[in-house]
Amino acid sequence: MPQGSSQVSSVHRVVLVVEENSNPFEMSCAIEVFGLDRPELGRALYDFRLCAAAPMTRMRDGFFTLTDVAGLDAVEEADTLIVPNRPDTDTPRSPEVLDAVRRAHARGARLIGFCSGAFTIAEAGLLDGRRAACHWMWADAFRIRFPQVRLEPDVLFVDDGDILTASGSASALDLGLHVVRRDHGAEIANAVSRRLVFAAHRDGGQRQFVERPVPEVPDESLAPLLAWAQERLGEPLSVADLAARAAVSPATLHRRFRAQLGTTPLAWLTGERVALACRLIERGEERLDVVAARSGLGTAANLRARLRRETGLSPSAYRRRFGPATGEPFLV
């Protein structure tokens, strides 16, 4: 299928493996993000296939049985492989599935694990010494079984280069959109998120979803404040300005951000500004100082530092990958 990303080739194939008792929700998330045509973009972003080790695969709790999908030989053609995940984490994975995962990784395929998928990758022996995420309910069990893995329990997902893992069911969408952003840029990821009616980027961690007592008086929604701030990112907004707009103290605002978004007001504001800078670069803005000013990051030096921290790329590298193919350097 034709692609527009310089990172993802024209035949980049995403393959999802399911096995007995796999979760259907994460399977659906993968199909939504990677498997659908994108008429609003004029092209498909990926070539997606679903495969299984057996001709008939009983999904979680027997909700339905999956049939007529490709066999495990499809894994051999995967550029990105989404490994099986299922709630019975104590049951060993199929040896043939684990072998397929190992072979895919050995030839350079990118591996993705949703929710309990980290167990599959760890069981294949591919996570020792590396960072990973899994659902908070299984964090203790994961640490006991795989002590060599650097589990990060308070995040929605972990991007460790060629192995990416998401902490829970809904965070499969967070990680999926992150992959789209990594492959195709912020503008395309935003378009996919709009179709999903899902936030393109959630800054919080899964800590905010761990069961805890409900406060007697729930915090007011931050949505109006966030919308107001997003329209003024190029202005010299501060945390104090956000607090004044919300008519609360900075300390109260900080608590509300932590409770509702799992992050701080300053971290959220910086992340939104970096995302805006990415969109401006993708849309063809050639003046680095203009990108910095319009996104609220102030100076070209600060833009470089923030963009590299958030994306791992310099502004020039980001432009070469996702911007107009002019080949010209930035004007400063």
Side-chain angles (χ1 to χ4, degrees):
M1 293 182 179
Q3 309 290 335
S5 166
S6 58
Q7 179 170 331
V8 179
S9 73
S10 61
V11 292
H12 188 98
R13 174 165 288 178
V14 177
V15 175
L16 168 67
V17 183
V18 295
E19 62 175 340
E20 192 76 8
N21 214 29
S22 284
N23 283 324
F25 180 83
E26 287 85 338
M27 178 183 72
S28 299
C29 289
I31 293 171
E32 282 286 337
V33 174
F34 301 110
L36 300 186
D37 289 335
R38 302 289 173 188
E40 67 275 21
L41 301 177
R43 58 191 171 97
L45 299 180
Y46 299 95
D47 182 359
F48 180 84
R49 295 194 72 183
L50 186 64
C51 75
M56 300 179 65
T57 303
R58 182 176 177 269
M59 300 297 287
R60 179 178 180 175
D61 297 330
F63 288 136
F64 59 89
T65 298
L66 197 64
T67 62
D68 297 324
V69 298
L72 278 184
D73 55 341
V75 172
E76 306 305 323
E77 301 175 1
D79 299 302
T80 292
L81 180 66
I82 304 175
V83 306
N85 72 305
R86 58 174 201 242
D88 51 333
T89 56
D90 292 333
T91 303
R93 268 56 175 171
S94 161
E96 57 184 330
V97 168
L98 294 178
D99 286 343
V101 172
R102 294 186 191 104
R103 289 196 305 273
H105 181 259
R107 61 177 174 75
R110 178 170 59 187
L111 302 183
I112 293 178
F114 293 144
C115 195
S116 60
F119 281 82
T120 303
I121 303 174
E123 198 171 329
L126 302 175
L127 276 178
D128 285 358
R130 302 189 64 159
R131 299 162 52 239
C134 77
H135 197 287
W136 60 267
M137 289 179 62
W138 295 309
D140 291 340
F142 187 93
R143 288 192 187 95
I144 292 170
R145 286 185 60 187
F146 308 109
Q148 300 304 314
V149 181
R150 294 158 53 195
L151 185 67
E152 298 189 6
D154 297 327
V155 299
L156 292 176
F157 61 83
V158 166
D159 180 343
D160 200 42
D162 59 343
I163 298 181
L164 302 92
T165 46
S167 62
S169 295
S171 59
L173 289 174
D174 292 288
L175 178 53
L177 288 169
H178 169 76
V179 170
V180 174
R181 187 182 308 111
R182 198 173 104 169
D183 291 345
H184 296 279
E187 196 79 4
I188 296 295
N190 286 341
V192 175
S193 72
R194 284 195 297 272
R195 179 162 167 178
L196 287 168
V197 195
F198 189 82
H201 180 73
R202 293 193 294 167
D203 290 304
Q206 67 168 326
R207 179 185 298 164
Q208 63 188 305
F209 304 110
V210 176
E211 186 174 353
R212 61 181 184 269
V214 177
E216 293 183 6
V217 181
D219 287 333
E220 295 180 4
S221 171
L222 288 171
L225 176 65
L226 302 185
W228 177 83
Q230 285 169 330
E231 294 177 355
R232 295 165 175 80
L233 293 174
E235 300 176 13
L237 286 179
S238 66
V239 174
D241 294 327
L242 297 179
R245 175 69 183 185
V248 297
S249 69
T252 297
L253 185 69
H254 191 280
R255 287 195 297 271
R256 289 185 178 177
F257 265 76
R258 278 294 186 191
Q260 296 185 37
L261 300 180
T263 189
T264 66
L266 181 58
W268 176 85
L269 191 58
T270 300
E272 290 296 310
R273 283 172 164 159
V274 171
L276 176 56
C278 289
R279 294 195 296 272
L280 292 171
I281 292 172
E282 291 174 30
R283 292 170 184 171
E285 177 53 61
E286 298 179 350
R287 296 160 295 176
L288 202 58
D289 57 340
V290 171
V291 175
R294 289 180 60 188
S295 63
L297 292 173
T299 66
N302 189 44
L303 169 61
R304 289 190 185 95
R306 295 294 182 180
L307 191 66
R308 185 175 292 278
R309 180 177 178 181
E310 293 290 328
T311 70
L313 300 172
S314 67
S316 295
Y318 191 92
R319 185 184 182 207
R320 284 194 298 271
R321 181 169 296 180
F322 301 118
T326 63
E328 297 296 326
F330 273 109
L331 302 175
V332 179

